[in-house]
Amino acid sequence: CSVAADKYTCADVPVDVIVVVDVGGSLGQAGFDSLKKLTLELATRARPTASGARLGIVSVADDAEEVINLSPKLDDIEKRIKSTLEWRRGTTKLHTGLMRAAALLNVAAGTRGGVSSARGVPMVLVLTDGLVADPFLAKRVSKKFRGAGMRLMFGVFGGSQSGDKRLFAKAASQPAEENLFFHPSMAALDANMTSIAGKILRRMCGAVAPAQ
């Protein structure tokens, strides 16, 4: 597609996506605000519809909380992000977020069949600073859900250590270059929000279209 990365929106192609947003203490308020802004940007440009993208949101810190279940209604999604997605501090236990996301997508760990349908392959997009408290469990759970047919994507924005980079490279669906995004800092995210959202959408959506 010749459309510039920062102009992408989702085309009207069926896809179900749960966005898991890190709300742990290592982000700080400013880092959380950046991820919340990115989540809103992605929701708006996904252009949810009953026949196209459906989005759900989960927050994760010491545990996972549902912000909104899969929905084709942008107004509802935006309202819940603005009112319910909050910085909760604590540590980031990523495996709990993956498990909650899989439950919303009706994916059973360790099984195959039934997860890929007319709505395409169920997808989870994790937005995080890369500092997680449960690397072993996160890797184990991600492996199970990949085996069940779920696609896992990760956007990692600053703060990641070498061990965490290895974790996300193993946790993401393959090929990793299509499902893993590393950015050096939250400042880089803030400065390039529109472009970064476009690059994620190009891989997240079943198809993309020029922005209206």
Side-chain angles (χ1 to χ4, degrees):
C1 182
S2 61
V3 182
D6 63 355
K7 299 298 183 182
Y8 285 126
T9 61
C10 287
D12 194 30
V13 174
V15 62
D16 290 339
V17 182
I18 300 295
V19 183
V20 177
V21 185
D22 186 350
V23 296
S26 61
L27 286 165
Q29 184 68 59
F32 165 74
D33 290 343
S34 297
L35 290 188
K36 184 172 183 176
K37 184 177 179 182
L38 177 59
T39 304
L40 277 167
E41 175 93 1
L42 291 170
T44 300
R45 292 171 60 185
R47 298 193 302 178
T49 64
S51 60
R54 297 190 303 181
L55 264 64
I57 311 293
V58 168
S59 68
V60 62
D62 288 319
D63 57 10
E65 293 184 359
E66 178 185 322
V67 176
I68 186 169
N69 202 343
L70 280 172
S71 174
K73 298 179 179 179
L74 178 58
D75 286 348
D76 291 348
I77 297 168
E78 289 181 332
K79 287 177 183 177
R80 294 293 289 178
I81 292 172
K82 291 175 182 177
S83 66
T84 307
L85 186 60
E86 298 178 338
W87 183 38
R88 293 197 279 126
R89 301 175 175 83
T91 59
T92 300
K93 296 176 181 174
L94 179 57
H95 81 281
T96 65
L98 296 175
M99 291 176 69
R100 180 62 64 90
L104 296 182
L105 290 166
N106 295 316
V107 176
T111 65
R112 294 190 64 86
V115 298
S116 183
S117 66
R119 294 205 53 83
V121 176
M123 187 181 309
V124 174
L125 168 64
V126 178
L127 305 177
T128 179
D129 67 353
L131 300 175
V132 301
D134 59 340
F136 175 77
L137 284 174
K139 184 167 63 175
R140 183 175 180 179
V141 169
S142 65
K143 181 179 180 179
K144 287 183 177 180
F145 289 132
R146 290 197 316 274
M150 188 167 70
R151 182 180 176 187
L152 298 180
M153 297 177 60
F154 294 87
V156 184
F157 302 94
S160 66
Q161 319 246 326
S162 59
D164 294 308
K165 288 185 178 181
R166 290 193 296 270
L167 163 66
F168 294 117
K170 291 181 179 179
S173 294
Q174 297 298 312
E177 58 268 21
E178 290 292 318
N179 295 289
L180 185 56
F181 310 88
F182 281 111
H183 296 275
S185 66
M186 289 295 173
L189 171 59
D190 290 335
N192 300 281
M193 184 75 65
T194 301
S195 178
I196 288 170
K199 290 175 182 177
I200 293 173
L201 286 165
R202 186 166 61 85
R203 292 164 175 81
M204 184 182 87
C205 304
V208 292
Q212 299 295 314

